[in-house]
Amino acid sequence: VQLQASGGGSVQAGGSLRLSCAASEFASHYYTTAWFRQAPGKEREAVSCINTDGDRIDHVDSVKGRFAMSREAANGTVYLQMNSLKLEDTALYFCAAQRNYREQCALNAWEYTYWGQGTQVTVSS
């Protein structure tokens, strides 16, 4: 499974970006999917995840109320809508997925089998 993450870019604080995570396999089978990020000099951290059925989403506390995750029913592409971006959101964002059914997604890297290449998000003042 090859995950293609896109949508990153440079934006001023307070702005918005929407990241996409696509894979050809998503069209035929829903995967539990998550977004992670890693800033320079920091460890990778989980951001948001969506369960297999797409009806349960979880976010790390630092992005609650600002980020939203969704899945497009037609092709399974997963989105991360990021609003009210802050300087500390600057990082390389990765999408990750795993095929096993999960009623509840997990904000843990070990849960995910497949990883995308990352897309850079830079927030400036």
Side-chain angles (χ1 to χ4, degrees), residues 1-95:
V1 177
Q2 290 190 329
L3 305 181
Q4 297 292 332
S6 61
S10 297
V11 63
Q12 288 191 322
S16 298
L17 284 173
R18 188 177 77 159
L19 305 184
S20 300
C21 179
S24 59
E25 290 84 352
F26 284 1
S28 58
H29 186 88
Y30 286 159
Y31 285 63
T32 302
T33 310
W35 287 96
F36 291 79
R37 65 186 179 186
Q38 187 166 19
K42 295 188 177 181
E43 292 186 355
R44 179 177 54 187
E45 67 167 344
V47 177
S48 304
C49 65
I50 186 167
N51 69 338
T52 307
D53 291 334
D55 59 358
R56 293 187 181 183
I57 295 167
D58 197 10
H59 302 283
V60 67
D61 286 347
S62 61
V63 307
K64 285 181 178 177
R66 300 189 297 121
F67 289 13
M69 194 167 177
S70 62
R71 176 186 288 133
E72 184 174 332
N75 59 18
T77 297
V78 173
Y79 300 99
L80 183 68
Q81 178 66 43
M82 306 186 294
N83 299 323
S84 302
L85 282 162
K86 302 177 179 180
L87 298 179
E88 52 265 39
D89 294 320
T90 294
L92 186 63
Y93 283 70
F94 300 89
C95 63

